[in-house]
Amino acid sequence: MLLTVSGPPGSGKSTTAAALAEAFDLEHISGGDIFRELAAERDMTAVEFNKLAEEDDQIDRDLDRRLRDIALDRDDVLLESRLAGWLAGDAADLRFWLDAPVDVRAERIADREDKAPDIAREETTTREASEAKRYDAYYDIDITDLSIYDIALNTARWGPDEVTAICIAAVDSYDSEADEGKYPVDGVRYDF
C-alpha cells in the first residue's frame, strides 16, 4: 500500500501521517524532515533554506526525485510532503490533502516553533508563495489544484485524533475491487 499525505505548513500532516503509518504498519517518509535536515546541515533555518532553494533549483529537484523514487520503488510506504500526492502520482493507493485557515496554521506553527503568531503567519505565507512558484516553474504543478486528492480535510474542524480517525476509516473502508477510478495525475513534468 502507498498512501500520501500532503498539505501546507501547520495543517497537521506530520501528526496525521505518523498516526496513519503506525496504524497500517507503513514506513513513514517525510519530505519536511528531509528538507529540515538538509537546512540544518547548512546551518540554516527552513525559511533561509527555502530562500536558497529559490536560487538553487537543484535543492527541490533532489528532494523531489528522492520522494518520487521512493513512491515508485517501495511497498508499504506513507509519503508525506507538500507534493507527495503529485510525486507519487498514479502509484498512490489513496491521496490525502490536509489544510486549515492560515491563521490557525500560523498559531500552530508559532506554538511549535516558539515564535509570535504574526511572524509565523508572515513566514508561512511567504514560504507558500515561493513554493507555489517553484512547483509551477519546475513541474507544471498548480499546488492549489486539489482534484487529484481522494480526501481533502480542513483540520481546523476536528482535533488530531478525529482527523486521524477519518483517514483511518477511509483506508479501512477502501475496496480496490469496487474502485471505479482515481483522478489521474496528468501534465506533470517529472524533470529532476
Side-chain angles (χ1 to χ4, degrees):
M1 178 177 357
L2 173 61
L3 303 178
T4 69
V5 177
S6 301
S11 62
K13 64 184 175 302
S14 295
T15 300
T16 304
L20 273 175
E22 183 177 329
F24 295 102
D25 195 26
L26 302 173
E27 180 183 6
H28 179 194
I29 307 293
S30 168
D33 286 349
I34 295 168
F35 189 84
R36 284 184 287 278
E37 286 170 13
L38 293 170
E41 286 171 11
R42 295 183 186 208
D43 200 29
M44 300 175 94
T45 67
V47 172
E48 292 168 336
F49 197 54
N50 202 58
K51 277 283 199 206
L52 179 62
E54 289 178 7
E55 300 165 13
D56 182 359
D57 67 347
Q58 202 56 49
I59 292 170
D60 284 326
R61 293 177 191 277
D62 288 346
L63 173 63
D64 296 339
R65 180 181 52 252
R66 186 180 314 178
L67 295 173
R68 172 93 171 146
D69 289 347
I70 289 167
L72 298 179
D73 296 338
R74 293 195 200 168
D75 293 324
D76 296 327
V77 170
L78 185 142
L79 198 61
E80 171 208 345
S81 80
R82 206 100 58 249
L83 290 181
W86 291 98
L87 294 173
D90 294 334
D93 292 296
L94 291 173
R95 297 179 293 239
F96 296 95
W97 177 265
L98 305 180
D99 203 350
V102 70
D103 288 334
V104 171
R105 294 187 293 108
E107 283 286 340
R108 291 173 180 171
I109 293 166
D111 287 345
R112 178 177 73 211
E113 298 179 5
D114 195 29
K115 61 176 68 170
D118 59 326
I119 291 172
R121 187 184 202 287
E122 181 182 333
E123 289 176 351
T124 299
T125 56
T126 300
R127 180 177 169 191
E128 287 177 48
S130 169
E131 290 171 345
K133 281 183 194 175
R134 296 194 321 261
Y135 302 152
D136 185 48
Y138 300 164
Y139 313 124
D140 291 331
I141 293 174
D142 174 1
I143 195 68
T144 65
D145 177 3
L146 304 183
S147 67
I148 68 161
Y149 294 96
D150 299 298
I151 293 179
L153 287 174
N154 173 357
T155 63
R157 305 296 304 264
W158 298 276
D161 292 340
E162 291 78 16
V163 169
T164 299
I166 292 167
C167 294
I168 287 173
V171 175
D172 276 339
S173 64
Y174 176 69
D175 178 3
S176 62
E177 301 285 324
D179 186 348
E180 294 183 287
K182 57 187 156 191
Y183 280 97
V185 177
D186 293 325
V188 177
R189 271 184 303 131
Y190 296 108
D191 184 17
F192 304 117

